[in-house]
Amino acid sequence: MSATLPETPATSVPAAAPNQLFPFVLQLADTSLILAHRLSEWCGHGPVLEQDLAMANIALDMLGEARSYYQYAAELEGQGRTEDDLAYLRSAVEYRNPLLVEQPNGDFAHTILRQFLFDNFHYHLLRKLKDGPNAQLAAIAEKSVKEAAYHLKWSSEWVIRLGDGTDESRKRLDKAIATLWRFGSELTTPTATETALQEIGVLPDYAALLTEMQAHTEHVFAEATVPLPAPVFAQLGGKTGRHTEHLGYLLSELQYMQRTYPGLTW
Amino acid sequence: METLEKVLTPEEQFQARIDADIRIEPKDWMPDAYRKTLIRQISQHAHSELVGMLPEGNWITRAPSLKRKSILLAKVQDEAGHGLYLYSAAETLGTTRDQMLADLHSGKAKYSSIFNYPTLSWADMGCVGWLVDGAAILNQVPLCRTSYGPYARAMVRVCKEESFHQRQGFEVMQTLCEGAPVQKEMAQEALNRWWWPTLMMFGPKDADSPNTAQSMNWRIKRFTNDELRQKFVDMMVPQAEFLGLTVPDEKVKWNEERQAYDFGEVNWDEFWAVVKGNGLCNHERLQARVDAHEEGAWVREAANAHAAKRAAREAVAA
Ligand SMILES: [Fe+2]
Ligand SMILES: [Fe+2]
Ligand SMILES: [Fe+2]
């Protein structure tokens, strides 16, 4: 699929955009940070050394991407806040990540399925953003899309291995699907902010992404010999600050130092 | 030359190559004891990289800034990479990673005792990088010239990254020491806990290290434990002073005549207790590795089963 975005130069983004752009860039930042944090919890405890390395590697990519978004968000806001202020000094209700990425690691099958659902969206979104009209987002996406392509390859291959592996791995993958599938739709369900950005062409239409995502999912699940899960009731809310209970604990760990020793440099 | 070779036994030829600093490669003849000693040494080193991920991994989720989080994660990831190179180097001697891991999990194989100490504050991330990686560098740089080729080559790759590890640790300490009083206290408190255990990283005193002579002869060790410990103290005391920190040893004093620092005696009872498994974290470090391995068994089995199915399908197709 080719980009459906208008060929507008960055300078002609409508003046209303920054108001919508700040919360959206923050949403991208929170999403990458929270998933990086979850993946980093595996560090030293992976099922085999090579996969320990792979998860740390993906976590590092996503952390780097998160930092780029936070720095851009801070610039857009123009209130003197830094990347660390945004990451460490906002409460759970202020966080804008979708519910999927804050879900606990569970076993390796849960981690893989969470990653697959996210990567499938992330990669296809970045492909559009890199050719989009917002120069900063395009630059970040240009760098991240190569990493995201690798992430999607990695998680897709593991869905296939676990689905078409042993009885046990299949059982565990099924359980992960039962737990996590309901969080997948939030990624492509636009919030008011996202709709506004779609209307001015800064964001692609998610319906176009969905077609590509769906095709990839069908391909991977067929290889994995796993029937496509039936649609389930979609859980939404993270992108507007209504989270599951898991996020509070994650943030209390993530923010521990900054909250305990306010205002210091590390 | 030919006549000379004829009168030399294989052992003598082997030693002659070592004395001439010619690398031993996997297919070369080597004495059994050399092979066994190397397997023990390299696998212990690999296990140390693996277990060494845990004390620092303990702070990845609590790192105080995004930049620190990213540096720490990259560092711990490097250690996993070091583990991989080293397991591969040991495998060239005829063992397998499964066997080495089984020996780690059963307690037969050792890893560096330093990782049996807990990481209690953010300053520990400074001390581990600065002191523990610093000690590792002193131990490892000479191994880049060790007699066994695959080990020497693995160490070249490892050492390149270790200097970045030490630098980031020192930088964490420096930031703390230039920060608020509470940060400087945190740095001093961590140094107080890590100083003596890092001195223990060089192993028992030379007098209590009976294998050193043979290892030096084989050039799989190039300095004695006490020599390395002295180098470490000479390197670190000025760095601590630069940071404005005090090394927790009243006996530390520059000795003009020796052109080296005098220092106090390591608590060898503590050293042997931790080596024997009685350090504060021995149990949980080993248990964490055993748990990861056991809980990962189904994943490894699934990957193997899938690879076999795929190979079978491709064989039919071909
Ligand atoms: Fe390293
Ligand atoms: Fe290392
Ligand atoms: Fe290191």
Side-chain angles (χ1 to χ4, degrees):
Chain A
M1 278 228 122
S2 65
T4 52
L5 298 173
E7 307 256 295
T8 350
T11 44
S12 70
V13 170
N19 296 333
Q20 306 295 341
L21 208 46
F22 172 69
F24 176 68
V25 175
L26 210 47
Q27 173 187 318
L28 292 175
D30 291 345
T31 304
S32 293
L33 174 63
I34 297 299
L35 190 52
H37 183 98
R38 280 294 186 220
L39 283 169
S40 78
E41 292 172 355
W42 272 103
C43 192
H45 306 277
V48 62
L49 193 46
E50 284 82 351
Q51 300 314 319
D52 222 313
L53 266 163
M55 287 188 280
N57 199 25
I58 297 171
L60 271 171
D61 288 344
M62 299 206 60
L63 194 51
E65 191 187 351
R67 292 184 64 190
S68 301
Y69 292 136
Y70 279 127
Q71 287 160 14
Y72 179 34
E75 198 186 304
L76 282 169
E77 188 190 38
Q79 303 284 320
R81 285 206 281 183
T82 64
E83 55 169 0
D84 287 333
D85 294 335
L86 292 173
Y88 290 92
L89 302 176
R90 280 155 59 239
S91 62
V93 291
E94 294 171 287
Y95 257 71
R96 288 291 176 268
N97 60 279
L99 300 173
L100 176 72
V101 297
E102 72 200 36
Q103 298 310 303
N105 287 339
D107 65 7
F108 190 67
H110 279 74
T111 293
I112 288 298
L113 188 75
R114 184 186 64 198
Q115 195 65 35
F116 174 77
L117 290 171
F118 177 73
D119 292 341
N120 196 17
F121 168 71
H122 188 219
Y123 168 70
H124 288 105
L125 175 68
L126 291 175
R127 271 187 40 183
K128 296 281 198 277
L129 285 182
K130 83 178 168 57
D131 298 323
N134 180 291
Q136 275 98 330
L137 282 182
I140 298 169
E142 178 76 41
K143 177 175 182 288
S144 300
V145 74
K146 294 174 202 127
E147 299 164 350
Y150 158 76
H151 304 168
L152 180 59
K153 182 172 185 289
W154 180 81
S155 57
S156 299
E157 284 171 358
W158 273 106
V159 168
I160 294 167
R161 283 191 197 103
L162 299 184
D164 186 31
T166 60
D167 288 348
E168 176 165 17
S169 68
R170 175 59 172 274
K171 219 178 283 166
R172 286 174 183 263
L173 182 62
D174 286 342
K175 200 171 165 197
I177 291 170
T179 308
L180 294 172
W181 205 256
R182 63 208 162 105
F183 297 115
S185 303
E186 185 180 10
L187 300 172
T188 47
T189 306
T191 60
T193 298
E194 288 170 296
T195 305
L197 290 171
Q198 284 168 337
E199 278 163 6
I200 57 170
V202 168
L203 256 185
D205 183 359
Y206 286 165
L209 293 191
L210 261 173
T211 312
E212 296 174 318
M213 289 166 61
Q214 181 69 19
H216 184 69
T217 303
E218 280 169 18
H219 165 75
V220 168
F221 274 61
E223 284 261 308
T225 70
V226 177
L228 268 191
V232 287
F233 184 88
Q235 293 295 342
L236 310 173
K239 295 199 288 191
T240 51
R242 297 174 64 149
H243 291 277
T244 57
E245 291 170 348
H246 304 295
L247 184 64
Y249 293 95
L250 187 157
L251 291 182
S252 64
E253 206 171 323
L254 176 83
Q255 300 179 338
Y256 160 68
M257 290 292 291
Q258 291 274 351
R259 299 288 193 183
T260 310
Y261 305 100
L264 301 184
T265 302
W266 303 94
Chain B
M1 255 354 246
E2 209 177 66
T3 45
L4 184 62
E5 296 231 330
K6 271 178 196 152
V7 294
L8 289 181
T9 64
E11 279 87 352
E12 286 164 337
Q13 285 179 39
F14 173 81
Q15 191 62 49
R17 289 189 61 178
I18 292 204
D19 294 343
D21 259 330
I22 299 169
R23 289 272 160 78
I24 307 301
E25 294 300 331
K27 289 199 172 103
D28 295 337
W29 184 89
M30 61 187 86
D32 250 7
Y34 176 85
R35 185 185 299 275
K36 279 200 188 114
T37 303
L38 265 179
I39 290 178
R40 197 184 62 227
Q41 184 174 332
I42 302 173
S43 67
Q44 262 184 32
H45 191 166
H47 298 330
S48 301
E49 302 285 354
L50 195 61
V51 177
M53 295 170 73
L54 299 170
E56 287 179 289
N58 185 39
W59 277 88
I60 291 171
T61 55
R62 288 178 292 169
S65 72
L66 295 178
K67 182 180 151 207
R68 290 289 173 213
K69 193 181 184 71
S70 160
I71 294 174
L72 183 61
L73 181 55
K75 189 219 183 235
V76 179
Q77 188 202 27
D78 279 352
E79 307 300 6
H82 297 173
L84 272 186
Y85 311 155
L86 287 161
Y87 283 122
S88 304
E91 284 183 322
T92 65
L93 289 157
T95 181
T96 63
R97 205 203 299 184
D98 281 347
Q99 182 58 53
M100 290 184 269
L101 288 179
D103 290 345
L104 170 69
H105 298 156
S106 72
K108 187 180 160 209
K110 299 285 178 223
Y111 56 86
S112 179
S113 278
I114 193 71
F115 302 122
N116 292 317
Y117 289 84
T119 53
L120 302 176
S121 81
W122 172 250
D124 290 30
M125 296 304 98
C127 279
V128 171
W130 172 42
L131 299 175
V132 176
D133 286 272
I137 290 172
L138 281 182
N139 267 326
Q140 293 171 8
V141 166
L143 295 176
C144 296
R145 295 182 296 123
T146 198
S147 62
Y148 187 59
Y151 190 24
R153 289 188 288 273
M155 291 318 300
V156 170
R157 298 173 70 183
V158 168
C159 285
K160 264 188 207 147
E161 292 170 350
E162 293 299 354
S163 56
F164 147 69
H165 295 176
Q166 200 203 4
R167 237 186 355 263
Q168 67 84 32
F170 186 80
E171 206 189 283
V172 167
M173 292 305 277
Q174 197 174 2
T175 308
L176 292 174
C177 291
E178 289 168 358
V182 65
Q183 289 172 295
K184 182 132 191 203
E185 279 161 33
M186 193 186 280
Q188 181 65 55
E189 190 277 333
L191 175 59
N192 293 348
R193 279 182 289 112
W194 288 96
W195 177 254
W196 288 107
T198 47
L199 291 193
M200 297 178 199
M201 284 176 69
F202 300 97
K205 285 202 284 201
D206 291 351
D208 302 320
S209 180
N211 299 325
T212 293
Q214 176 64 83
S215 289
M216 303 256 305
N217 250 341
W218 280 336
R219 300 200 183 173
I220 52 181
K221 190 166 178 163
R222 309 206 65 140
F223 296 97
T224 71
N225 297 350
D226 287 335
E227 283 168 354
L228 289 169
R229 198 167 5 250
Q230 180 71 57
K231 275 187 193 219
F232 180 77
V233 172
D234 292 345
M235 184 168 100
M236 291 305 175
V237 169
Q239 292 186 13
E241 277 168 12
F242 174 86
L243 290 170
L245 297 174
T246 310
V247 163
D249 176 358
E250 285 172 0
K251 297 216 170 96
V252 163
K253 196 169 167 262
W254 178 250
N255 183 324
E256 192 57 39
E257 198 181 315
R258 290 202 303 123
Q259 287 293 301
Y261 283 92
D262 292 334
F263 58 99
E265 188 74 13
V266 166
N267 179 346
W268 294 110
D269 291 338
E270 177 182 324
F271 172 82
W272 290 113
V274 182
V275 168
K276 288 185 179 124
N278 296 317
L280 184 58
C281 297
N282 288 67
H283 180 82
E284 66 186 277
R285 297 291 187 240
L286 192 55
Q287 195 59 48
R289 288 313 317 159
V290 170
D291 288 348
H293 191 75
E294 286 177 356
E295 284 159 23
W298 71 269
V299 178
R300 299 189 299 275
E301 281 158 19
N304 290 338
H306 178 73
K309 284 184 195 177
R310 181 163 281 222
R313 278 197 296 265
E314 275 158 18
V316 170

